[in-house]
Amino acid sequence: MLENYKQQVVDFFARRTAYDDEGDAHPQEAQRLLEYVAIAPGDQILDIATGTGLVAIPAARQVAPDGFVIGVDISPVMLAQAKSKISKLKIDNLELIEADIELVEFATQQFDTIFCCSALVYISDLPRILARCYEWLKPGGCLGFTTPDKSSNLAEIRVKVCQDLFGIDLPHIIRPLWTPEKCQTLLKESGFTRPNIAIKKHLYKKSKISPNYGSVKIESEFYPRGNPLSNLSSVQKKLLQAKYKKAVEQLIADRGVWQETMNLYVKAYKSR
C-alpha cells in the first residue's frame, strides 16, 4: 500500500513538466524560507524534496565557494528541470540524488542546515525522518521547512465533511503539521530545541474560482498515512462529493471568489 502511494506521488510530479512556470507561489515560498533560515559561505546543506532546485540552487550560491548542497528528490521529472537550470548557471557545488529520502543514508553530523520547502507532509513516517534530520545535523545545526496551515486549500472543510457524514477522522496529508502546536510537539519529540514558527499568507484573487476546489475527489487525494475513504461504496463517495461541493459553494457565497494558502515557516535547532 505504501509503495502504491509513493508511485502516486511520482506520477503526480511527472505531469508537472514546467513546475517553475505554474505561478509565483512556489518561488516566493522558497525565497521566504531562505530569508527565514540563515546560511553562510562554507555551510553543508541538505535539501529534502529538492524538486526543481528552488531552494537548492540559491543556497548553493550562498554557501559557495567552499560550501556544498545535496538535493534529494523521488521525482526524475522534477530533477531533470533542476539539472537543466544548474547546467545553465554553471553551478558546481550542488549534487542531485534521485531517491526516496526515507531510504537514504547520510553521515551523522554531516550538515549545517537541512531544508524542506512545502513537501515534508508527503513523507509517510514524519517522526522517523525528523529524528534522522536531527542525527544528520551538526550540533547547533538548523532544520528549516514550510508546511501549509490547516486553513489552507480547504483542508479543514474536507476533514469536517468526512466527520459529519461518516464519523471518519480523516488523516489529511497536511494534518500532522498543520498548526504551530503540532509542529512544536513533533520537533521536540525528535530532540529539537528552540522551535520558531512564523505564519505567512499567500492570497490570490481570481475572476473565476478554481474548479479544483469543488470537484476534487477527496477519496483520491494523497494519504501517506492511510486512506480510510478507500472502503467507501460508490454511493457514499457520491454523497461525500455532493456534501463537499455544497460546503465549498457556501464559502464562495460568503467570501467571494478567492484562493489562499497560509504557510507555516518553521525552524528548529539541534542542541550544541
Side-chain angles (χ1 to χ4, degrees), residues 133-250:
C133 286
Y134 189 87
E135 177 186 334
W136 296 334
L137 282 170
K138 298 176 184 179
C142 180
L143 169 65
F145 64 89
T146 66
T147 189
D149 173 84
K150 66 179 181 178
S151 64
S152 298
N153 301 314
L154 306 186
E156 280 185 299
I157 299 298
R158 297 174 194 187
V159 170
K160 185 177 186 304
V161 167
C162 291
Q163 183 66 50
D164 290 348
L165 273 180
F166 307 118
I168 291 175
D169 190 23
L170 186 70
H172 194 279
I173 185 171
I174 73 171
R175 197 167 178 181
L177 294 169
W178 72 356
T179 65
E181 293 76 20
K182 283 182 174 289
C183 291
Q184 289 172 346
T185 297
L186 278 175
L187 287 165
K188 289 178 179 178
E189 288 175 350
S190 300
F192 285 94
T193 61
R194 294 186 288 144
N196 187 294
I197 300 172
I199 302 174
K200 301 180 186 292
K201 177 182 287 190
H202 300 266
L203 181 63
Y204 313 93
K205 292 289 183 181
K206 293 188 174 182
S207 59
K208 184 178 181 181
I209 192 70
S210 169
N212 290 335
Y213 274 99
S215 64
V216 65
K217 295 185 183 301
I218 301 176
E219 75 277 4
S220 301
E221 291 188 300
F222 292 133
Y223 292 97
R225 290 159 286 277
N227 182 6
L229 303 181
S230 61
N231 296 322
L232 294 180
S233 68
S234 59
V235 173
Q236 287 175 316
K237 289 177 182 178
K238 288 180 180 179
L239 181 61
L240 175 61
Q241 193 66 36
K243 179 81 171 179
Y244 174 63
K245 185 177 181 180
K246 184 176 181 180
V248 172
E249 290 172 347
Q250 184 61 53

